[in-house]
Each structure stands twice: as C-alpha cells, then as structure tokens.
Amino acid sequence: MSDAPNGFREYAAARRGALRRTAYLLCGDWYLADDLVQDALAGLFVRWRRVRAGGEVDPYVRRMLVNGYLATHRRGWRRELAVADLPETAAPGHGDDGTRDVLLRALSDLHPSQRAVVVLRYWEDLSVEQTATVLGCSTGNVKSQAARGLAHLRAALGRSGALEGEPA
C-alpha cells in the first residue's frame, strides 16, 4: 500500500475501530462487520481523492457501510441458517446484569432498515436529517422507524426485567 493516496492510510487507521463498532451494531456479527468495513474502505480507497476533496469522508463511508449491510440481506448466500438448538449464551460477567446481551438480541430482531436507523441515530448520534441523507429516505421515515425500533427495544428490555424500577 505504498502507493496509497495522500492521507488515506491515516484516515483508515484512525477510523477503522469506530467503523467496525458501527458495522457490528448494524449486523450483529464481528466477522461480517470486518467484511463490511473492509469493503467500505476498499471502495473509499478507489475514490479517496474525490471524496476527500468534497470534505465529507465520514458520511460517505457511513453510507457505504449501511448500503453494504442492507445488501447482505438481499444476497441469499450470506443469510444465516436457522437451527433448532441455539448455542449456549455466555453468563453475564462481573458487573454485567445481562442488559447488554438482551439489547443486542433485541437489536438483531429489528428489520434491517429499522436497525440502520436506530444505529445511526443513537449510536452514531446523527440528526434525523443526517440519517435520512445517509439512508436516502425522508425525515418522516426516519422518525417513524426510530420510534418503532425504540418501542421494540424498550419492550424487549421490559420483558427481560432490565427496566424494573423505572416508571412505565
């Protein structure tokens, strides 16, 4: 990669961890997250000079991650197979009440586009307008998808008992 465009290597090194975490929240699988990040960075490498000249590198890469994630749900060969017996889940660690696992499972139950909205709005802390731009949809769609997604997450946490003691 000695012929990398000026600044690309530094950008990729600095942002890889954050991109990987965002990709994981989108897809729920660290290996697929790595693939999504690698695909996004490979695509960015090809277009680096143009994207950097536009000054909007993070939104561009974020859009590539979301598009790559949504595309995995259209590719039959990447779908997971349902099995009758689920593997054992790890016991909560010290100081962990299991809420994180419940939340990640509930997040994985969301429809892919709903999950993308929730991750972009509440993990990436994008505004409604920025999220709509990344997803190529209306702000009203972002608001309704976010409301439905959060309702699902609250219900899952409520069923798990994680919200006990909080006002309903």
Side-chain angles (χ1 to χ4, degrees):
M1 202 158 116
S2 60
D3 60 343
N6 188 23
F8 175 81
R9 186 182 318 207
E10 293 79 10
Y11 175 83
R15 297 292 297 145
R16 185 177 209 81
L19 292 171
R20 186 173 184 253
R21 287 185 295 275
T22 298
Y24 173 76
L25 288 173
L26 286 169
C27 67
D29 178 310
W30 285 111
Y31 297 107
L32 181 55
D34 287 336
D35 289 346
L36 290 171
V37 170
Q38 185 66 32
D39 290 347
L41 289 175
L44 178 63
F45 179 81
V46 173
R47 298 170 192 86
W48 175 251
R49 286 184 178 92
R50 180 177 53 84
V51 173
R52 194 181 74 177
E56 297 293 326
V57 178
D58 283 340
Y60 186 84
V61 175
R62 203 176 292 121
R63 176 75 185 240
M64 293 174 76
L65 278 179
V66 170
N67 286 346
Y69 162 67
L70 293 174
T72 63
H73 289 279
R74 292 187 293 264
R75 296 182 196 143
W77 59 270
R78 281 214 177 170
R79 291 198 178 123
E80 296 177 15
L81 300 174
V83 293
D85 298 319
L86 296 176
E88 291 184 31
T89 57
H94 181 66
D96 180 10
D97 62 1
T99 303
R100 179 180 184 274
D101 289 335
V102 171
L103 187 59
L104 287 174
R105 280 194 301 274
L107 192 60
S108 71
D109 289 341
L110 294 177
H111 186 276
S113 58
Q114 205 172 60
R115 184 175 180 160
V117 167
V118 169
V119 169
L120 292 173
R121 283 282 292 131
Y122 305 106
W123 174 259
E124 287 288 322
D125 200 28
L126 298 183
S127 69
V128 170
E129 293 77 16
Q130 290 169 321
T131 302
T133 299
V134 168
L135 296 175
C137 64
S138 70
T139 57
N141 186 39
V142 169
K143 290 175 187 178
S144 65
Q145 293 290 337
R148 288 184 191 121
L150 289 177
H152 175 79
L153 295 177
R154 282 188 197 104
L157 288 171
R159 285 190 302 274
S160 75
L163 296 179
E164 289 178 8
E166 290 189 13

